[in-house]
Structure formats: structure tokens, C-alpha cells
Amino acid sequence: WEGEYFVNEVNTGVIEVLKKRIDWIAEIGCDWVEFDNMDWVFDDDLRSEYGFGVTIEEGILYSNTLCDYVQSKGMKCMAKNTTEGVAQFEGVLYESYADEKSWWDTDGTRSFLSAGKLVVINHYGETQCDQVYADYLEYYGPGLSYICESEPDKAYKHYNQTMN
């Protein structure tokens, strides 16, 4: 996306900048912090295209250090598009599309559900929201939260809004 950036080094003060942002998020009363684009560190194509040098281990440490800080502020951590290296996170959110479903680590998703953690799928551009939700439930079982952008309704439909 235009205007998005990847962390190239985790030892440049970026953690302190993000802690200030987390402080503000806590001050305004948020319950959760979503860690957007967490899968960047595992993507060799992005690594090659943008030339960032953060190792997988550094990326995991970076996310977990920030999650520790979020939790110290009384909030929960929501992983985005991956469960790898984030066992301490309380939930995960995935983005899916009509032509791209369950592209993520499904075993990791099931492990989060089995642990009673929140799993949310935001699904975009769909004409059959009810059927896709039924398909996801058949695959993952109960406990899954699902938000679908319904093309016919030009609106978002929310399913299983209960939270832990």
C-alpha cells in the first residue's frame, strides 16, 4: 500500500516510538492493539523486493516486546495474518477474499481457537457471506468470529460477535 513501510532495523529507536503510541492508545481507552502486517518478516519476496535486513528472530522479538508492553498497559494483543512466534498474543485477525480463503497457517489458527483465543476473519468482496461463514465453521469449528463485506448489500455482516 502507498505510504506503508517495513521495519528495517529494530534497534533504531522504533520500539520507543511505538511505546509512546501504545501509551496514547491506552489513554484513549482501547482494549486491544492489532499488530498490522506482522507476516512481513516471514515473507522472502518482500525481503528481496524491499531489502530489509530484520531476521525472523528479530521480528518475533520485536512483536513480542511490543506485546509485553501492550499487556503491561492492561490491553490485549491481536496478531495479524500469522500465529507464528506470537503464543502470548490473545487473538489473531486474518484478511481473506472471495478468491483467496484460508491462505494462512490453518494449524496455528486451530491452536489459537483450541486455546480459547479470539480468531477473527475479515472477508472482503463476497457475494455469498453466509455460505463462506458456513465453510469456515465447518473447517475451524465454533468460536470463530467472522466479518464479511457483502457485495450485494454494500455493507459488512458480522457473525459470532461473542468474545472471550
Side-chain angles (χ1 to χ4, degrees):
W1 298 99
E2 187 176 332
E4 281 190 314
Y5 300 93
F6 296 101
V7 173
N8 190 39
E9 295 180 32
V10 294
N11 59 354
T12 60
V14 70
I15 289 177
E16 292 308 313
V17 169
L18 289 172
K19 282 182 177 181
K20 288 179 184 176
R21 183 71 173 218
I22 292 165
D23 291 341
W24 175 76
I25 292 168
E27 286 174 21
I28 64 170
C30 293
D31 297 319
W32 289 78
V33 175
E34 177 197 284
F35 287 60
D36 198 9
N37 298 330
M38 291 181 58
D39 49 344
W40 64 275
V41 76
F42 303 106
D43 191 318
D44 290 334
D45 291 335
L46 290 176
R47 183 177 303 285
S48 175
E49 181 178 348
Y50 294 102
F52 53 84
V54 174
T55 66
I56 290 173
E57 294 77 18
E58 290 171 329
I60 290 170
L61 179 61
Y62 168 79
S63 295
N64 284 300
T65 298
L66 289 174
C67 184
D68 287 342
Y69 192 72
V70 165
Q71 291 167 339
S72 78
K73 296 293 181 176
M75 297 178 291
K76 296 180 181 181
C77 300
M78 175 71 72
K80 176 92 174 269
N81 293 332
T82 188
T83 57
E84 188 171 346
V86 293
Q88 75 191 54
F89 281 57
E90 291 89 355
V92 62
L93 173 116
Y94 296 105
E95 294 174 309
S96 68
Y97 304 88
D99 63 346
E100 191 175 26
K101 299 179 192 104
S102 287
W103 55 267
W104 48 80
D105 171 19
T106 56
D107 289 336
T109 304
R110 285 188 176 120
S111 73
F112 264 50
L113 286 166
S114 294
K117 296 182 179 189
L118 181 62
V119 174
V120 179
I121 297 175
N122 281 352
H123 186 76
Y124 301 104
E126 185 57 59
T127 58
Q128 303 292 323
C129 287
D130 293 346
Q131 181 58 55
V132 174
Y133 179 55
D135 293 344
Y136 276 131
L137 282 181
E138 184 177 328
Y139 190 75
Y140 291 111
L144 181 73
S145 292
Y146 175 73
I147 302 167
C148 185
E149 179 188 34
S150 172
E151 288 292 320
D153 298 328
K154 303 290 186 220
Y156 286 92
K157 297 176 76 174
H158 296 253
Y159 300 75
N160 187 11
Q161 297 178 48
T162 61
M163 294 180 58
N164 301 345

